[in-house]
Amino acid sequence: MRYILAVPMKAFFDVLEQLYRKVLLGATLENENHDYIFYLNPSSLDQDCSTAPSSECPDPHGVQDKHQPSSANLATISVVPVCLKKHSPICSAREVMLLQLTVIKVMITRILSVETDFRAKEKYRDIIKILLKSSDIDSKLTCMFQNSDKLLSHMAAKCLALLLYFQLREKITFSNSWIAFCQKNLSEYPENEKAVYCLWTLTVIIKEIFKDTCSQKTEILKQFLTPFDTIFEVFYSSLFSQHFESCQDTSKIINSLICSLELLELLIASRIHLKLHFTCQRILFLKPSCVLDIITWPVQAFVKRKFIIFIKKCLLWKVGEDLFRGSSPVVMPPDQHLDVDILALADAVLRAVDLGLLRTLSVHGKPPCFGGDEIQPTCEHVPGPDHVILRAASLLIIKSVEIKFQSCASAHEMKVDLQSFMCELLTFLKPHLQPSLQSHNPCEWISKVFIEQDDDMLEAAKASLGIYLKLTRQRKATESSTQEKEMWNHHTHEYGYNPHCIFLFLLKNIGFDSSVLLDFLISSETCFLEYFVRYLKLLQKDWTHFFTICKYFDVTESKDSINISGCGSSLVQDGSRNQTELSPSAAPGIPRSAHASISWASNVSSGSLSHLVISKETHATLQADSLPPLRASQNLVNYDSSDDSEAEDTDQHSANSKQTSLHQEAMKKSQDPVGTSMDKKQLRLEPQSRPLVPKQSNNPFSVDCDRVPDNFSEVGISYTTLKCFEELQGAIYRLQKKNLFPYNATALLKLLKHIEAIYNESMNTL
């Protein structure tokens, strides 16, 4: 057996350390390429870092024999600035090997960086190419995957992934040993535990492709996925068909699930953003029930969270958005094949709900916290549901219903399906929301569930609005009587998807603060612009319904002073009724039993309320409660307070004046062909000719749903809403005037102005 004389370990480590420092700085290397190969090749070391049998450390090209650097070369490599010299730590074989992998990793990173000097980059590229040709380095790195040293195993996988990505970039063919290694281990899962390392390496490679700024991402990824397309399908079938309860070591399954989920998300993201079409990218859509079954497994809550959130992101087309932000168009061209797959996923979700998914989904346990879910003994544990799962499951259902209805033509079928799924959802949410939805408007569920997650709340509101608009179009084609219209209104409240209620609850959540709406409009992280434009268009056509609902919001706010009679039974409640005694001032002939709270499903849709007695004290309460609330924080724009803020910061101006393609696309849809400009005078609400606060009355009065008295509505939530719109108009106009608004808001301003005109007209006719 022939032995190769090795450089002393201390000297070997010192050379590597100095090489690392030079590469980290992006400095040009002056020695011959093979001098560096000797120190970067893992074959240069054995377990003792002294001598190595040639049979254990193969050297097919004789690199170590022919190109072992001389002492002169060694001294040259070690020359670095004095300021970078430090005492080397006590070296060992492990530390030397970790440093080898680190130098390779940093060198490839420098090659991929646009900031690296061209001459230095070419030198690094030549070294890596020689390293790949002169040694079977991928096989050596895969041998480290199952090393008991987790850090060494991780670094080997990371280094191998970057080497493989480098080969893709340089159009160097993968070695057959690497492809065979992956295919063998993935196809033998779960018997073969090395599959996890393959998944992790493949994931890193795809992430590197996504991060690359080159224009050939699609071609590179296509070249990479081609050898693995079929084997991925085999692996995922084996993974999802496991029986979790019968496994002794569940940690291995959980590790495989997390790794496979991350890879699956990247595959779907590549389909959406890079327009590739491989079978492995459709695994979720071909077998959605297998993925949904995992949610019901008795696994840790964080695993369920990841899978639910993953499916939610698929339905919202948000998979991989953080990886592709700024590198690809935000508004994607239509993809009919993907639309079909998304519809199949939505149908699978609804079938699972119909089979009892929500009844088996546990939301109790340790709440998710930053840094883990373990509570320190000194900290108090506050019991409560897992709101992450509550939000994700709720949005999952409402979005699935919206997607299904897009391809449904039967109004009756849609109404039945909506009733079924919303009953399931509201029943699921009811025990976890305080106060319970049982005694409140069911439409409040969106504001209650998503109060801590603005982007999901707006997605849910937009999905609910889409459902309402779809049903409205179908209903108008068949509706023939006033009774059917009342039943329809009843249905929207009973099952929690009335768009006016949902929007008003949203405004209440933010305290009717126009600066928050402005923040939503400017931000590209939510769908508020699209939702807001669609809702304003609906509001123009459905003002009377909105006004009636505003009246009931006002009544609810002052319910302590209101005696309600003639209320029908609420279908939301379970049949039991709370009995309350009427006050002595109640009108004679009114029954002495009524619901303690307003029955929204019955009253708002019934068209009339037999008696609604409001006393003088109630007037004062309404006046106090309905005035525009004080702002909790300063408005985002308040140029009037600083001489119109002509001296705006230059950097802020350039940052805020960038155009956002998402906003432009949404505004194109909302453009009105009639008129494209308006002057500042048009953007302000005209002065009110009547007092905003009604005169006091000594006599109680009755409110009828068909007619809203002046002195009730003008101080109510409808006025507060319009006041919020007025402030929003002014803020948008001031920003747009200074070219600080990120997109052309002319059409949006026109919608707001039209709503203002409708409001003023309705006030004049009362």
Side-chain angles (χ1 to χ4, degrees):
M1 183 176 294
R2 178 171 56 88
Y3 285 85
I4 300 171
L5 179 63
V7 176
M9 181 166 52
K10 178 66 167 60
F12 199 104
F13 187 89
D14 287 343
V15 172
L16 273 176
E17 186 177 37
Q18 303 309 324
L19 179 59
Y20 167 72
R21 294 180 185 281
K22 295 192 74 173
V23 175
L24 191 63
L25 294 174
T28 303
L29 302 178
E30 303 298 338
N31 283 56
E32 292 186 11
N33 294 333
H34 288 88
D35 292 342
Y36 301 103
I37 298 300
F38 174 78
Y39 292 98
L40 296 179
N41 192 341
S43 296
S44 302
L45 299 170
D46 70 344
Q47 294 179 354
D48 297 323
C49 197
S50 55
T51 58
S54 59
S55 61
E56 294 179 10
C57 295
D59 182 25
H61 300 280
V63 174
Q64 282 82 356
D65 283 337
K66 296 181 181 180
H67 299 287
Q68 183 170 333
S70 64
S71 58
N73 287 340
L74 180 65
T76 305
I77 296 175
S78 302
V79 174
V80 293
V82 176
C83 61
L84 291 178
K85 289 189 176 182
K86 293 183 179 179
H87 294 291
S88 299
I90 300 175
C91 56
S92 65
R94 172 184 180 273
E95 290 168 347
V96 172
M97 194 167 292
L98 285 172
L99 190 52
Q100 280 183 317
L101 299 176
T102 303
V103 174
I104 295 173
K105 173 180 172 292
V106 174
M107 192 172 286
I108 296 175
T109 304
R110 273 293 178 185
I111 294 171
L112 301 176
S113 173
V114 296
E115 298 178 358
T116 307
D117 177 73
F118 176 78
R119 184 165 171 263
K121 184 182 293 188
E122 288 300 309
K123 185 72 171 181
Y124 300 158
R125 182 180 283 111
D126 291 341
I127 292 173
I128 296 299
K129 285 183 177 179
I130 295 174
L131 181 65
L132 289 169
K133 291 179 180 178
S134 62
S135 62
D136 192 16
I137 190 169
D138 52 355
S139 297
K140 297 167 186 173
L141 292 176
T142 53
C143 290
M144 301 182 192
F145 279 0
Q146 284 192 298
N147 194 296
S148 58
D149 188 326
K150 297 301 180 184
L151 180 57
L152 187 60
S153 174
H154 172 81
M155 283 299 297
K158 179 72 173 178
C159 187
L160 177 60
L162 288 175
L163 283 169
L164 293 170
Y165 177 63
F166 175 82
Q167 294 178 69
L168 286 170
R169 280 289 305 266
E170 299 295 322
K171 295 181 170 56
I172 301 173
T173 306
F174 283 168
S175 67
N176 292 329
S177 61
W178 158 247
I179 296 176
F181 175 82
C182 282
Q183 291 177 339
K184 178 178 183 297
N185 290 295
L186 290 174
S187 62
E188 293 178 356
Y189 182 86
E191 287 78 14
N192 196 322
E193 298 178 358
K194 294 181 182 179
V196 174
Y197 300 102
C198 296
L199 294 173
W200 196 90
T201 306
L202 295 169
T203 299
V204 173
I205 295 172
I206 297 178
K207 284 184 176 180
E208 290 297 326
I209 296 174
F210 286 176
K211 289 191 297 184
D212 202 336
T213 56
C214 72
S215 59
Q216 299 178 337
K217 286 183 181 181
T218 304
E219 291 75 14
I220 292 175
L221 186 60
K222 183 177 181 180
Q223 176 189 349
F224 173 67
L225 290 180
T226 300
F228 304 107
D229 188 29
T230 305
I231 203 65
F232 279 155
E233 187 176 4
V234 175
F235 166 75
Y236 277 102
S237 297
S238 302
L239 175 69
F240 295 142
S241 61
Q242 293 181 95
H243 297 286
F244 184 82
E245 298 84 351
S246 60
C247 296
Q248 295 180 350
D249 189 356
T250 57
S251 62
K252 292 182 179 179
I253 295 184
I254 292 174
N255 195 21
S256 299
L257 286 173
I258 298 302
C259 291
S260 62
L261 181 63
E262 188 174 9
L263 178 59
L264 189 58
E265 184 171 354
L266 294 175
L267 292 173
I268 296 174
S270 66
R271 181 184 181 188
I272 294 175
H273 296 274
L274 299 182
K275 300 302 176 184
L276 283 176
H277 300 282
F278 282 95
T279 304
C280 61
Q281 296 171 306
R282 301 188 61 213
I283 292 171
L284 170 66
F285 308 107
L286 295 174
K287 300 180 179 181
S289 58
C290 296
V291 181
L292 288 166
D293 286 344
I294 295 175
I295 299 175
T296 63
W297 286 6
V299 295
Q300 287 94 327
F302 81 92
V303 178
K304 295 183 179 182
R305 284 187 215 114
K306 282 183 172 292
F307 273 85
I308 294 177
I309 292 173
F310 165 65
I311 299 172
K312 178 198 74 175
K313 290 165 69 176
C314 289
L315 292 175
L316 297 176
W317 287 55
K318 288 189 175 183
V319 182
E321 63 176 358
D322 52 336
L323 295 171
F324 283 93
R325 183 168 297 172
S327 61
S328 63
V330 178
V331 180
M332 305 302 298
D335 186 338
Q336 294 183 350
H337 299 291
L338 185 57
D339 289 338
V340 172
D341 283 348
I342 294 292
L343 176 59
L345 178 59
D347 282 336
V349 170
L350 296 179
R351 283 197 303 272
V353 172
D354 200 36
L355 294 173
L357 174 66
L358 294 180
R359 292 190 291 272
T360 60
L361 183 61
S362 174
V363 295
H364 297 286
K366 296 178 180 179
C369 304
F370 180 77
D373 57 6
E374 293 297 330
I375 306 297
Q376 295 296 326
T378 56
C379 299
E380 182 181 358
H381 172 62
V382 180
D386 187 336
H387 290 281
V388 175
I389 293 182
L390 279 181
R391 288 193 295 266
S394 300
L395 184 51
L396 200 63
I397 295 172
I398 195 72
K399 188 64 182 179
S400 296
V401 172
E402 183 199 18
I403 293 171
K404 181 179 181 180
F405 284 7
Q406 290 172 359
S407 60
C408 187
S410 170
H412 176 72
E413 179 184 347
M414 287 190 290
K415 189 173 180 179
V416 171
D417 285 345
L418 182 63
Q419 178 175 333
S420 172
F421 296 125
M422 288 306 298
C423 276
E424 286 278 352
L425 178 57
L426 294 176
T427 302
F428 169 69
L429 295 174
K430 180 179 173 181
H432 309 297
L433 300 181
Q434 298 298 328
S436 173
L437 289 175
Q438 182 177 3
S439 58
H440 289 73
N441 186 345
C443 299
E444 195 177 3
W445 73 270
I446 290 180
S447 295
K448 283 180 171 290
V449 172
F450 299 100
I451 191 170
E452 296 179 0
Q453 195 77 29
D454 292 340
D455 54 345
D456 280 356
M457 176 172 64
L458 295 172
E459 287 287 356
K462 182 167 77 77
S464 178
L465 177 60
I467 293 170
Y468 177 88
L469 293 175
K470 176 70 175 181
L471 282 170
T472 300
R473 288 191 292 270
Q474 296 293 332
R475 176 184 60 86
K476 287 183 178 179
T478 58
E479 187 181 89
S480 59
S481 66
T482 303
Q483 184 180 6
E484 288 180 347
K485 182 178 180 180
E486 292 177 358
M487 291 178 63
W488 157 252
N489 290 333
H490 177 98
H491 194 271
T492 65
H493 291 284
E494 180 181 2
Y495 296 106
Y497 67 100
N498 185 279
H500 303 302
C501 288
I502 291 171
F503 184 75
L504 290 173
F505 279 123
L506 168 63
L507 290 183
K508 289 183 68 177
N509 269 2
I510 64 173
F512 294 88
D513 190 343
S514 61
S515 66
V516 178
L517 297 184
L518 181 64
D519 192 21
F520 285 160
L521 286 173
I522 292 175
S523 172
S524 60
E525 297 180 357
T526 72
C527 63
F528 181 71
L529 173 62
E530 183 182 356
Y531 165 67
F532 193 44
V533 168
R534 294 182 72 185
Y535 177 73
L536 291 178
K537 288 183 175 181
L538 170 66
L539 187 56
Q540 291 179 116
K541 303 174 184 178
D542 202 24
W543 177 260
T544 303
H545 189 195
F546 169 79
F547 210 48
T548 302
I549 291 174
C550 285
K551 182 191 67 175
Y552 275 90
F553 268 80
D554 296 331
V555 172
T556 305
E557 291 294 328
S558 57
K559 62 183 179 181
D560 290 338
S561 303
I562 298 175
N563 297 308
I564 302 174
S565 63
C567 296
S569 61
S570 170
L571 296 180
V572 179
Q573 298 181 346
D574 57 5
S576 62
R577 299 187 178 184
N578 297 324
Q579 305 295 324
T580 57
E581 293 294 326
L582 291 172
S583 63
S585 61
I590 298 177
R592 298 186 60 83
S593 63
H595 285 292
S597 61
I598 294 179
S599 178
W600 284 83
S602 299
N603 294 337
V604 176
S605 60
S606 63
S608 64
L609 192 63
S610 52
H611 293 87
L612 198 66
V613 182
I614 303 183
S615 64
K616 179 177 179 179
E617 289 76 18
T618 304
H619 274 290
T621 303
L622 282 173
Q623 293 169 23
D625 291 346
S626 58
L627 292 176
L630 294 176
R631 299 292 180 254
S633 58
Q634 196 174 22
N635 285 343
L636 294 178
V637 285
N638 192 10
Y639 294 141
D640 292 339
S641 62
S642 56
D643 296 328
D644 213 19
S645 189
E646 291 292 340
E648 190 67 41
D649 183 81
T650 305
D651 294 337
Q652 184 69 21
H653 182 284
S654 61
N656 288 335
S657 60
K658 292 182 179 178
Q659 297 297 317
T660 305
S661 59
L662 174 62
H663 291 142
Q664 291 173 341
E665 182 71 13
M667 291 310 299
K668 285 178 183 178
K669 296 178 182 179
S670 65
Q671 291 289 343
D672 189 327
V674 182
T676 57
S677 64
M678 59 180 66
D679 56 29
K680 185 174 181 179
K681 185 177 180 181
Q682 290 178 309
L683 296 174
R684 295 175 177 172
L685 281 174
E686 297 181 5
Q688 297 289 336
S689 58
R690 296 172 302 282
L692 297 179
V693 179
K695 296 179 180 180
Q696 294 286 352
S697 173
N698 294 326
N699 299 319
F701 62 91
S702 62
V703 176
D704 189 275
C705 282
D706 296 329
R707 185 179 184 279
V708 186
D710 293 356
N711 56 355
F712 181 89
S713 62
E714 283 193 79
V715 296
I717 198 170
S718 61
Y719 169 76
T720 309
T721 301
L722 266 292
K723 187 67 176 175
C724 179
F725 286 175
E726 175 194 10
E727 294 172 358
L728 182 62
Q729 276 190 77
I732 295 174
Y733 180 80
R734 288 193 296 273
L735 284 175
Q736 186 156 285
K737 180 183 176 183
K738 293 183 172 297
N739 200 27
L740 292 175
F741 207 67
Y743 52 89
N744 185 0
T746 302
L748 176 60
L749 290 170
K750 186 175 294 184
L751 283 171
L752 290 169
K753 183 65 179 176
H754 193 196
I755 297 299
E756 170 201 335
I758 295 174
Y759 174 79
N760 289 332
E761 182 181 354
S762 66
M763 290 295 97
N764 291 331
T765 57
L766 290 175

